[in-house]
Amino acid sequence: ARTEVRVLQRFAVHALVELVPHTGRTHQLRVHLAHAGHPIEGDVLYGGHFWKDNQIKLHACRLSFKHPKTGEQVELEALPGEDW
């Protein structure tokens, strides 16, 4: 499994990163960041600290895939909410 990681913004304790998975393994992004010593905030299963309301601070801004029936390319985009 391979994941591209790019730091978008650094903060005192956290960082905002862009992750691009090049395969589709279960929990791939969570495992890769935890293995690198930088677990996702709120992901207590993989070493992150508890976050309010038991949330994992992981958000898919863009998804792109081929529709399984039509073969048409589907592109979805959703910006993070106000609490980010």
Side-chain angles (χ1 to χ4, degrees), residues 3 6 15-17 21 27-30 32-33 43 48 53-54 64 73 81:
T3 301
R6 183 168 68 114
L16 178 63
V17 297
H27 298 194
Q28 174 177 326
L29 305 176
R30 297 165 68 188
H32 283 172
L33 287 177
D43 190 359
D53 300 328
N54 204 23
S64 177
Q73 190 69 20

Side-chain angles (χ1 to χ4, degrees), residues 17-31:
V17 297
E18 177 181 66
L19 304 170
V20 180
H22 289 275
T23 56
R25 301 282 191 196
T26 303
H27 298 194
Q28 174 177 326
L29 305 176
R30 297 165 68 188
V31 170

Side-chain angles (χ1 to χ4, degrees), residues 34-56:
H35 181 74
H38 304 289
I40 297 169
E41 194 65 48
D43 190 359
V44 294
L45 181 63
Y46 289 100
H49 297 97
F50 179 80
W51 188 261
K52 64 180 179 179
D53 300 328
N54 204 23
Q55 296 176 355
I56 294 177

